[in-house]
Amino acid sequence: MSDERHIDGNGVGGLLAEVLGVDPTTVRRRCGGCGDVRALAEHRAYAGAAMVLRCPSCEDVGVRIGTLGGEIAVDWRGTFFVQRQLV
Amino acid sequence: MERLGVRGPIPWRTATVREVVPETSHARTLVLDVPGWPGHRAGQHLDVRLTAEDGYQASRSYSIASAPELDAVEITVEEVADGEVSPYLVEDVQAGDAFEVRGPIGGHFTWSVDERGPLLLIAGGSGLAPLMAMLRHRAARGSMVEAHLLVSARSEDNLLYRAELPTLQPAEGLHIHVTYTRSTPAGWDGFSGRVDADMLRAVAPPPAAMPRCFVCGPTPFVEHVANLLVDAGYPPGDIRAERFGPTGG
């Protein structure tokens, strides 16, 4: 999917911070599809009914952010794990 | 151990427009006073949220164009035709007006003079804003770290910070190049046309110099330039990209 409709995961940092409580853009995510580990900021963000973050390596759906019953919900399907540097 | 969640969500804060600076016929810089602003790093962005009288809200992300050292937060907004937010920010908002901002956001596309150089900054259109923050930061700190900027603009009238670019300090180690993709000024002997491999070779430190590469612009521009850089042998891990999409505004 080498189309030009996406922005970077960086652009949804504020939205994700609503849920996670911290700016997650430097959090690294290991893709459940290809196993690559990339920062959320590097993911491809597609805006639709939900915001979808796709792996920049294999373009699998990694994270979905949407509203559910008036709340913001994050679905981490397609993610083995996330990791973040200790501070 | 890190205590996740202690900071809480990044709060919305009231930003008051201190000054409006025209940049081009369809872009301007808003100088904002944001009480409680925690400071930012060059390259980060913020979200702007507008609330209509009926409660309808729209938010957009804008790169911060000012140096962290400045006592204000500046964003440069280019009007997107039929956009929801940018027409208001470019045409209507005046000094004294207020709206909400949330930030700073993003720890990936950032640079500080305390980190290594050299810098290779490549901007398409208003993608210059966060790279300008890096160069203004370099200036504020009097850093002579080697920095190479290549800006792609449609024409001279579309080039942001046109007056400031040639005056950036320290001049030592700073190399600024512009390419015009639609029309060139009379007597122009610089680059024209879209960024290509030859242009990169002419302006960029070689891969062996291991420059930190920052590319910002519309998604097609960033994809194109990032591919050129990888093809030229720059390690993907040294290339940071910030895309803004064709939709929204």
Side-chain angles (χ1 to χ4, degrees):
Chain A
M1 192 181 293
S2 57
D3 64 67
E4 295 169 340
R5 293 178 295 119
H6 65 282
I7 58 169
D8 296 289
N10 209 16
V12 297
L15 183 62
L16 271 172
E18 295 261 335
V19 190
L20 305 175
V22 290
D23 178 350
T25 49
T26 57
V27 166
R28 286 171 296 147
R29 168 188 167 274
R30 181 184 287 276
C31 179
C34 68
D36 214 359
V37 179
R38 302 285 286 268
L40 281 183
E42 296 181 284
H43 282 57
R44 297 171 165 221
Y46 293 84
M51 180 65 78
V52 175
L53 295 185
R54 289 178 178 271
C55 172
S57 298
C58 74
E59 296 173 352
D60 246 22
V61 171
V63 186
R64 296 186 307 159
I65 311 154
T67 51
L68 199 65
E71 296 182 318
I72 301 176
V74 182
D75 173 358
W76 294 89
R77 74 175 51 191
T79 300
F80 276 159
F81 59 82
V82 292
Q83 53 195 117
R84 189 171 200 265
Q85 268 190 333
L86 294 173
V87 291
Chain B
M1 195 170 143
E2 183 182 17
R3 291 172 298 166
L4 281 170
V6 166
R7 286 194 313 190
I10 305 167
W12 290 100
R13 295 184 168 89
T14 301
T16 304
V17 179
R18 183 194 296 182
E19 191 185 347
V20 172
V21 183
E23 298 285 356
T24 69
S25 58
H26 53 279
R28 61 183 192 176
T29 292
L30 305 179
V31 184
L32 306 174
D33 287 310
V34 188
W37 181 255
H40 68 275
R41 283 180 287 153
Q44 288 187 297
H45 68 272
L46 54 73
D47 291 344
V48 168
R49 181 167 74 181
L50 304 180
T51 305
E53 281 177 12
D54 65 0
Y56 176 76
Q57 293 185 322
S59 64
R60 293 290 182 274
S61 298
Y62 294 101
S63 290
I64 299 167
S66 49
E69 290 78 9
L70 194 74
D71 71 337
V73 178
E74 296 182 352
I75 57 173
T76 300
V77 183
E78 190 162 53
E79 186 167 354
V80 176
D82 303 325
E84 275 191 319
V85 173
S86 66
Y88 170 75
L89 296 179
V90 174
E91 292 185 6
D92 299 331
V93 84
Q94 295 177 3
D97 288 347
F99 48 80
E100 290 176 291
V101 299
R102 173 173 68 186
I105 300 164
H108 188 68
F109 193 87
T110 61
W111 179 79
S112 145
V113 296
D114 301 322
E115 299 169 39
R116 72 169 175 85
L119 276 182
L120 175 57
L121 311 176
I122 304 178
S126 57
L128 179 54
L131 308 183
M132 197 63 178
M134 295 178 190
L135 292 177
R136 286 166 165 166
H137 165 61
R138 176 183 178 277
R141 294 280 296 271
S143 163
M144 284 184 280
V145 66
E146 190 182 325
H148 302 257
L149 172 68
L150 173 61
V151 188
S152 174
R154 287 180 180 174
S155 67
E156 193 175 33
D157 290 339
N158 284 281
L159 178 60
L160 296 177
Y161 320 120
R162 191 171 57 181
E164 183 180 348
L165 281 174
T167 68
L168 279 169
Q169 297 294 328
E172 186 173 337
L174 179 60
H175 308 272
I176 295 179
H177 302 272
V178 178
T179 181
Y180 293 115
T181 56
R182 295 269 172 92
S183 64
T184 54
W188 175 251
D189 61 359
F191 294 114
S192 60
R194 74 195 295 227
V195 176
D196 60 22
D198 288 340
M199 210 181 286
L200 270 186
R201 238 188 324 274
V203 308
M210 294 173 59
R212 304 279 310 277
C213 308
F214 292 91
V215 186
C216 186
T219 299
F221 176 87
V222 171
E223 297 283 295
H224 172 66
V225 172
N227 287 336
L228 285 177
L229 288 169
V230 171
D231 289 346
Y234 296 92
D238 283 346
I239 303 169
R240 297 284 157 104
E242 176 111 303
R243 302 162 175 84
F244 45 85
T247 56

